Amino acid sequence: MGDKIGVFVAWPYARGDRHVGHVAGAYLTPDIFARYHRLRGNDVIMVSGSDSHGTPIAVRAFLLFEKAFALVRARLAVLCTSPVQLV
């Protein structure tokens, strides 16, 4: 077996509307990188996670007079739908 490779993907912040940049920046590039290394025979683990309590979320919630939890829940519902809907 080849090298052990870790690919750690951060989800886009859930503070704004979804766009193609979310797919191209957050998902596509690390996926291609991981697939490349798997094809080369490396042992690859790809892990993703979210920082839904970060400063951009808190600022956006403050500006919209919403609680951060309610904002994150609503925006993640949109972000987690099919990427096909981006077009």
Side-chain angles (χ1 to χ4, degrees):
M1 178 117 334
D3 295 332
K4 292 186 181 287
I5 307 278
V7 181
F8 306 99
V9 182
W11 298 347
Y13 275 109
R15 65 186 169 132
D17 292 333
R18 189 175 55 163
H19 52 81
V20 174
H22 286 136
V23 174
Y27 306 118
L28 186 60
T29 306
D31 182 61
I32 291 170
F33 181 81
R35 288 171 187 258
Y36 167 79
H37 281 284
R38 285 186 186 116
L39 287 171
R40 299 283 311 228
N42 294 318
D43 184 20
V44 179
I45 184 169
M46 187 166 164
V47 180
S48 66
S50 173
D51 177 15
S52 60
H53 301 288
T55 302
I57 297 293
V59 170
R60 179 78 173 183
F62 177 78
L63 293 174
L64 294 175
F65 303 104
E66 293 183 38
K67 292 188 183 272
F69 179 77
L71 176 68
V72 168
R73 180 180 234 168
R75 298 312 306 160
L76 281 178
V78 172
L79 287 172
C80 292
T81 58
S82 171
V84 174
Q85 296 174 350
L86 290 172
V87 180

